[in-house]
Amino acid sequence: MRHETAPVVFHLMAPSTTALLVAVGMTACASPPPVACASWPDYTTSAEMQEAATDVVVSDSVRTSGTEVMLGVEATAYDIRVAEVEKGSVAPGTTIRVISTPDSCGATFYPEGDQIDREGPLRLYLIEDDDGTFQTLSPFDGVETAP
């Protein structure tokens, strides 16, 4: 990625003003590069989400459990008590930690609201990573209200 800056033109001015301009310019160049934006698949049916997920569970309780860094931003984490398992190796009755996948490039990390933050039993379509952490399919898909 090429970092472009406007040319700096110095005029005769007080030394303290010159030092301030140099310090401000150095701070601007030291800022971190922007986060790459993900392109999320659009799941239009439950069957598509079921196929994409490594695990599908139905919750009997959901509790907020802090945050975790995901995609360079603080994502909301939940402790999910599993009532039923429709796909995967999670055992019913266990509690799993699930990260609600954020949209790191939007004006808000959860543009349509955090999909796990709702009432009732939930059906969660999850992806398990190599560390055993679960996450929703995307910021937009991966959670339905269970019947």
Side-chain angles (χ1 to χ4, degrees):
M1 176 196 251
R2 189 174 165 197
H3 182 72
E4 294 185 25
T5 58
V8 178
V9 178
F10 288 100
H11 297 281
L12 291 177
M13 57 184 79
S16 61
T17 305
T18 303
L20 177 63
L21 287 175
V22 171
V24 169
M26 289 173 59
T27 302
C29 292
S31 59
V35 174
C37 295
S39 176
W40 301 106
D42 184 22
Y43 300 101
T44 57
T45 67
S46 298
E48 289 175 342
M49 290 191 290
Q50 176 95 11
E51 186 176 328
T54 59
D55 296 82
V56 180
V57 301
V58 175
S59 70
D60 63 5
S61 75
V62 176
R63 185 172 48 99
T64 305
S65 180
T67 62
E68 284 206 21
V69 175
M70 178 183 222
L71 304 173
V73 300
E74 290 291 325
T76 306
Y78 294 88
D79 287 333
I80 308 288
R81 182 168 159 80
V82 177
E84 298 174 39
V85 177
E86 297 178 0
K87 181 180 179 182
S89 59
V90 176
T94 60
T95 299
I96 60 173
R97 185 170 174 84
V98 176
I99 311 304
S100 185
T101 303
D103 182 8
S104 61
C105 293
T108 175
F109 300 146
Y110 300 104
E112 297 174 8
D114 186 336
Q115 59 185 333
I116 297 178
D117 187 17
R118 61 172 97 172
E119 294 294 318
L122 304 176
R123 177 173 288 109
L124 295 105
Y125 300 86
L126 305 171
I127 298 171
E128 183 179 15
D129 67 16
D130 293 337
D131 296 329
T133 301
F134 294 93
Q135 68 186 60
T136 54
L137 294 176
S138 78
F140 314 101
D141 294 304
V143 180
E144 297 174 331
T145 301

